Amino acid sequence: QSALTQPASVSESPGQSITISCSGTSSDVGGYNHVSWYQQHPGKAPKLMIYDVNNRPSGVSYRFSGSKSGNTASLTISGLQDEDEADYYCSSYTSSNTYVFGTGTKVAVL
Amino acid sequence: QVQLVQSGTEVKKPGASVKASCKVSGDTFSGNHIHWVRQAPGQGLEWMGLINAANGGTSYAQKFQGRVSMTKATSTSTVYMELTSLTSEDTAVYYCAREPSGTYNCDKWGQGTLVTVSS
């Protein structure tokens, strides 16, 4: 199972919006609505930000939203804040009853 | 408040095995799947596998098939991950994470266990 493809880095100024893509196949992202997004700050454990494509866990800011089209899922962060600077990973359930993570995207707030 | 508390740092020699633990508290143990995810230094997250805490059923990433084993001890609400035939490429932080059964996402994570493989 190959890792899902994400851009290596995205940067934007505070207050702006960014979108991170997560490209897979019909055996993972395209085949199931079980795509999650995780935020990871340096030296910390990942934190769930979005589950089942577009659902936010309790306590996660409304500025985070998710979507999916075909084999590509996306995470959008609106109103970018300094605290959003972190690594972001997508994850998907697969047809093999396994999971796969994306390659990860480093978000920089300029 | 659900908590996952992992065992401490390990240093192993090439060819050895490591067994990390993950103790779950604050929730019904059997209502969860426990995933193991690793992260090599400066690298991304890599899914290794999961264990169904209710019945012990497992699913492993193909990459680790034959080299990883995940088990549970219901009496202590603890899950174990054993990785054998270690090489330097297994040097990583190993995380356990809780998935409420059937939800397909990991909402709580342990603090991580650093495993260093060095001769």
Side-chain angles (χ1 to χ4, degrees), chain B residues 2 7 12-13 23 32 41 51 54 63-65 67 83 95 112-113 116:
Chain B
V2 178
S7 48
K12 297 292 182 180
K13 293 194 181 300
K23 183 174 176 62
N32 299 295
I51 182 168
K63 175 177 178 176
F64 299 102
Q65 291 273 4
R67 207 161 67 90
L83 189 63
Y95 293 102
T113 294
T116 300

PDB file of all heavy atoms in Angstrom, chain B residues 2 7 12-13 23 32 41 51 54 63-65 67 83 95 112-113 116:
ATOM      1  N   VAL B   2     -10.391   9.664  28.520  1.00  0.00           N
ATOM      2  CA  VAL B   2      -9.616   8.538  28.015  1.00  0.00           C
ATOM      3  C   VAL B   2      -8.137   8.890  27.981  1.00  0.00           C
ATOM      4  O   VAL B   2      -7.760   9.983  27.521  1.00  0.00           O
ATOM      5  CB  VAL B   2     -10.087   8.157  26.598  1.00  0.00           C
ATOM      6  CG1 VAL B   2      -9.245   7.017  26.051  1.00  0.00           C
ATOM      7  CG2 VAL B   2     -11.563   7.787  26.608  1.00  0.00           C
ATOM      8  N   SER B   7       4.728   2.618  27.316  1.00  0.00           N
ATOM      9  CA  SER B   7       5.954   2.262  28.030  1.00  0.00           C
ATOM     10  C   SER B   7       7.099   3.177  27.585  1.00  0.00           C
ATOM     11  O   SER B   7       6.981   3.941  26.638  1.00  0.00           O
ATOM     12  CB  SER B   7       6.295   0.797  27.767  1.00  0.00           C
ATOM     13  OG  SER B   7       6.233   0.495  26.376  1.00  0.00           O
ATOM     14  N   LYS B  12      17.763  -1.015  21.497  1.00  0.00           N
ATOM     15  CA  LYS B  12      17.953  -2.410  21.100  1.00  0.00           C
ATOM     16  C   LYS B  12      19.079  -2.538  20.082  1.00  0.00           C
ATOM     17  O   LYS B  12      19.378  -1.602  19.354  1.00  0.00           O
ATOM     18  CB  LYS B  12      16.643  -2.950  20.481  1.00  0.00           C
ATOM     19  CG  LYS B  12      15.465  -2.982  21.436  1.00  0.00           C
ATOM     20  CD  LYS B  12      15.673  -4.001  22.534  1.00  0.00           C
ATOM     21  CE  LYS B  12      14.482  -4.073  23.456  1.00  0.00           C
ATOM     22  NZ  LYS B  12      14.688  -5.070  24.548  1.00  0.00           N
ATOM     23  N   LYS B  13      19.639  -3.734  20.044  1.00  0.00           N
ATOM     24  CA  LYS B  13      20.662  -4.028  19.044  1.00  0.00           C
ATOM     25  C   LYS B  13      20.005  -4.632  17.808  1.00  0.00           C
ATOM     26  O   LYS B  13      18.927  -5.245  17.896  1.00  0.00           O
ATOM     27  CB  LYS B  13      21.692  -4.992  19.623  1.00  0.00           C
ATOM     28  CG  LYS B  13      22.514  -4.384  20.749  1.00  0.00           C
ATOM     29  CD  LYS B  13      23.724  -5.203  21.069  1.00  0.00           C
ATOM     30  CE  LYS B  13      24.526  -4.604  22.213  1.00  0.00           C
ATOM     31  NZ  LYS B  13      24.983  -3.235  21.859  1.00  0.00           N
ATOM     32  N   LYS B  23      -1.344   1.249  27.818  1.00  0.00           N
ATOM     33  CA  LYS B  23      -2.397   1.023  28.807  1.00  0.00           C
ATOM     34  C   LYS B  23      -3.525   2.031  28.605  1.00  0.00           C
ATOM     35  O   LYS B  23      -3.275   3.243  28.579  1.00  0.00           O
ATOM     36  CB  LYS B  23      -1.847   1.125  30.229  1.00  0.00           C
ATOM     37  CG  LYS B  23      -2.873   0.822  31.311  1.00  0.00           C
ATOM     38  CD  LYS B  23      -2.254   0.794  32.677  1.00  0.00           C
ATOM     39  CE  LYS B  23      -3.307   0.581  33.768  1.00  0.00           C
ATOM     40  NZ  LYS B  23      -3.995  -0.728  33.604  1.00  0.00           N
ATOM     41  N   ASN B  32     -12.947  -0.734  21.881  1.00  0.00           N
ATOM     42  CA  ASN B  32     -11.998  -0.004  21.046  1.00  0.00           C
ATOM     43  C   ASN B  32     -11.180  -0.913  20.126  1.00  0.00           C
ATOM     44  O   ASN B  32     -10.990  -2.093  20.403  1.00  0.00           O
ATOM     45  CB  ASN B  32     -11.000   0.756  21.938  1.00  0.00           C
ATOM     46  CG  ASN B  32     -11.677   1.761  22.825  1.00  0.00           C
ATOM     47  OD1 ASN B  32     -12.251   2.727  22.350  1.00  0.00           O
ATOM     48  ND2 ASN B  32     -11.611   1.530  24.128  1.00  0.00           N
ATOM     49  N   PRO B  41      12.667   9.376  12.610  1.00  0.00           N
ATOM     50  CA  PRO B  41      13.150  10.758  12.806  1.00  0.00           C
ATOM     51  C   PRO B  41      13.021  11.598  11.543  1.00  0.00           C
ATOM     52  O   PRO B  41      13.508  11.214  10.478  1.00  0.00           O
ATOM     53  CB  PRO B  41      14.610  10.566  13.197  1.00  0.00           C
ATOM     54  CG  PRO B  41      14.662   9.212  13.810  1.00  0.00           C
ATOM     55  CD  PRO B  41      13.661   8.386  13.056  1.00  0.00           C
ATOM     56  N   ILE B  51      -5.371  -3.803  16.653  1.00  0.00           N
ATOM     57  CA  ILE B  51      -5.940  -4.949  17.340  1.00  0.00           C
ATOM     58  C   ILE B  51      -7.320  -4.578  17.863  1.00  0.00           C
ATOM     59  O   ILE B  51      -7.527  -3.473  18.373  1.00  0.00           O
ATOM     60  CB  ILE B  51      -5.024  -5.442  18.486  1.00  0.00           C
ATOM     61  CG1 ILE B  51      -5.633  -6.686  19.159  1.00  0.00           C
ATOM     62  CG2 ILE B  51      -4.739  -4.339  19.496  1.00  0.00           C
ATOM     63  CD1 ILE B  51      -4.673  -7.407  20.084  1.00  0.00           C
ATOM     64  N   ALA B  54     -11.789  -6.155  21.751  1.00  0.00           N
ATOM     65  CA  ALA B  54     -12.879  -7.043  22.180  1.00  0.00           C
ATOM     66  C   ALA B  54     -12.535  -8.505  21.956  1.00  0.00           C
ATOM     67  O   ALA B  54     -12.737  -9.352  22.829  1.00  0.00           O
ATOM     68  CB  ALA B  54     -14.169  -6.681  21.451  1.00  0.00           C
ATOM     69  N   LYS B  63       3.667  -4.439   4.937  1.00  0.00           N
ATOM     70  CA  LYS B  63       5.094  -4.224   5.174  1.00  0.00           C
ATOM     71  C   LYS B  63       5.595  -4.931   6.428  1.00  0.00           C
ATOM     72  O   LYS B  63       6.752  -5.345   6.503  1.00  0.00           O
ATOM     73  CB  LYS B  63       5.364  -2.724   5.277  1.00  0.00           C
ATOM     74  CG  LYS B  63       6.789  -2.358   5.641  1.00  0.00           C
ATOM     75  CD  LYS B  63       6.984  -0.859   5.657  1.00  0.00           C
ATOM     76  CE  LYS B  63       8.405  -0.490   6.061  1.00  0.00           C
ATOM     77  NZ  LYS B  63       8.653   0.964   5.998  1.00  0.00           N
ATOM     78  N   PHE B  64       4.717  -5.080   7.425  1.00  0.00           N
ATOM     79  CA  PHE B  64       5.146  -5.618   8.711  1.00  0.00           C
ATOM     80  C   PHE B  64       4.669  -7.058   8.948  1.00  0.00           C
ATOM     81  O   PHE B  64       4.982  -7.637   9.992  1.00  0.00           O
ATOM     82  CB  PHE B  64       4.641  -4.715   9.841  1.00  0.00           C
ATOM     83  CG  PHE B  64       5.164  -3.318   9.762  1.00  0.00           C
ATOM     84  CD1 PHE B  64       4.376  -2.285   9.267  1.00  0.00           C
ATOM     85  CD2 PHE B  64       6.460  -3.019  10.149  1.00  0.00           C
ATOM     86  CE1 PHE B  64       4.852  -1.000   9.154  1.00  0.00           C
ATOM     87  CE2 PHE B  64       6.957  -1.734  10.051  1.00  0.00           C
ATOM     88  CZ  PHE B  64       6.156  -0.718   9.552  1.00  0.00           C
ATOM     89  N   GLN B  65       3.934  -7.600   8.005  1.00  0.00           N
ATOM     90  CA  GLN B  65       3.445  -8.970   8.140  1.00  0.00           C
ATOM     91  C   GLN B  65       4.602  -9.930   8.407  1.00  0.00           C
ATOM     92  O   GLN B  65       5.623  -9.887   7.725  1.00  0.00           O
ATOM     93  CB  GLN B  65       2.732  -9.404   6.856  1.00  0.00           C
ATOM     94  CG  GLN B  65       1.408  -8.717   6.583  1.00  0.00           C
ATOM     95  CD  GLN B  65       0.235  -9.403   7.232  1.00  0.00           C
ATOM     96  OE1 GLN B  65       0.392 -10.373   7.964  1.00  0.00           O
ATOM     97  NE2 GLN B  65      -0.969  -8.899   6.976  1.00  0.00           N
ATOM     98  N   ARG B  67       6.483  -9.920  10.981  1.00  0.00           N
ATOM     99  CA  ARG B  67       7.490  -9.318  11.869  1.00  0.00           C
ATOM    100  C   ARG B  67       6.851  -8.594  13.052  1.00  0.00           C
ATOM    101  O   ARG B  67       7.538  -8.251  14.016  1.00  0.00           O
ATOM    102  CB  ARG B  67       8.356  -8.335  11.071  1.00  0.00           C
ATOM    103  CG  ARG B  67       9.744  -8.153  11.618  1.00  0.00           C
ATOM    104  CD  ARG B  67      10.668  -7.561  10.561  1.00  0.00           C
ATOM    105  NE  ARG B  67      10.345  -6.190  10.169  1.00  0.00           N
ATOM    106  CZ  ARG B  67      10.850  -5.103  10.757  1.00  0.00           C
ATOM    107  NH1 ARG B  67      11.671  -5.231  11.780  1.00  0.00           N
ATOM    108  NH2 ARG B  67      10.538  -3.895  10.304  1.00  0.00           N
ATOM    109  N   LEU B  83       7.800  -6.140  17.805  1.00  0.00           N
ATOM    110  CA  LEU B  83       8.423  -6.069  16.486  1.00  0.00           C
ATOM    111  C   LEU B  83       9.750  -6.811  16.555  1.00  0.00           C
ATOM    112  O   LEU B  83      10.561  -6.535  17.444  1.00  0.00           O
ATOM    113  CB  LEU B  83       8.635  -4.619  16.063  1.00  0.00           C
ATOM    114  CG  LEU B  83       9.074  -4.358  14.616  1.00  0.00           C
ATOM    115  CD1 LEU B  83       8.021  -4.835  13.623  1.00  0.00           C
ATOM    116  CD2 LEU B  83       9.384  -2.885  14.402  1.00  0.00           C
ATOM    117  N   TYR B  95       3.647   5.109  18.289  1.00  0.00           N
ATOM    118  CA  TYR B  95       2.451   5.609  18.959  1.00  0.00           C
ATOM    119  C   TYR B  95       1.363   4.538  18.954  1.00  0.00           C
ATOM    120  O   TYR B  95       1.180   3.839  17.955  1.00  0.00           O
ATOM    121  CB  TYR B  95       1.884   6.825  18.231  1.00  0.00           C
ATOM    122  CG  TYR B  95       2.712   8.071  18.261  1.00  0.00           C
ATOM    123  CD1 TYR B  95       3.479   8.464  17.164  1.00  0.00           C
ATOM    124  CD2 TYR B  95       2.708   8.912  19.387  1.00  0.00           C
ATOM    125  CE1 TYR B  95       4.214   9.633  17.177  1.00  0.00           C
ATOM    126  CE2 TYR B  95       3.447  10.084  19.400  1.00  0.00           C
ATOM    127  CZ  TYR B  95       4.197  10.437  18.293  1.00  0.00           C
ATOM    128  OH  TYR B  95       4.926  11.596  18.308  1.00  0.00           O
ATOM    129  N   GLY B 112       3.745   8.196  22.930  1.00  0.00           N
ATOM    130  CA  GLY B 112       4.808   7.675  22.071  1.00  0.00           C
ATOM    131  C   GLY B 112       5.896   6.965  22.853  1.00  0.00           C
ATOM    132  O   GLY B 112       6.200   7.328  23.998  1.00  0.00           O
ATOM    133  N   THR B 113       6.475   5.960  22.226  1.00  0.00           N
ATOM    134  CA  THR B 113       7.615   5.221  22.780  1.00  0.00           C
ATOM    135  C   THR B 113       8.753   5.308  21.781  1.00  0.00           C
ATOM    136  O   THR B 113       8.605   4.887  20.630  1.00  0.00           O
ATOM    137  CB  THR B 113       7.253   3.740  23.012  1.00  0.00           C
ATOM    138  OG1 THR B 113       6.267   3.638  24.034  1.00  0.00           O
ATOM    139  CG2 THR B 113       8.486   2.940  23.404  1.00  0.00           C
ATOM    140  N   THR B 116      15.171   2.979  19.756  1.00  0.00           N
ATOM    141  CA  THR B 116      16.412   3.223  19.033  1.00  0.00           C
ATOM    142  C   THR B 116      17.108   1.894  18.799  1.00  0.00           C
ATOM    143  O   THR B 116      17.293   1.113  19.731  1.00  0.00           O
ATOM    144  CB  THR B 116      17.340   4.162  19.818  1.00  0.00           C
ATOM    145  OG1 THR B 116      16.667   5.413  20.033  1.00  0.00           O
ATOM    146  CG2 THR B 116      18.631   4.415  19.053  1.00  0.00           C
TER     147      THR B 116
END
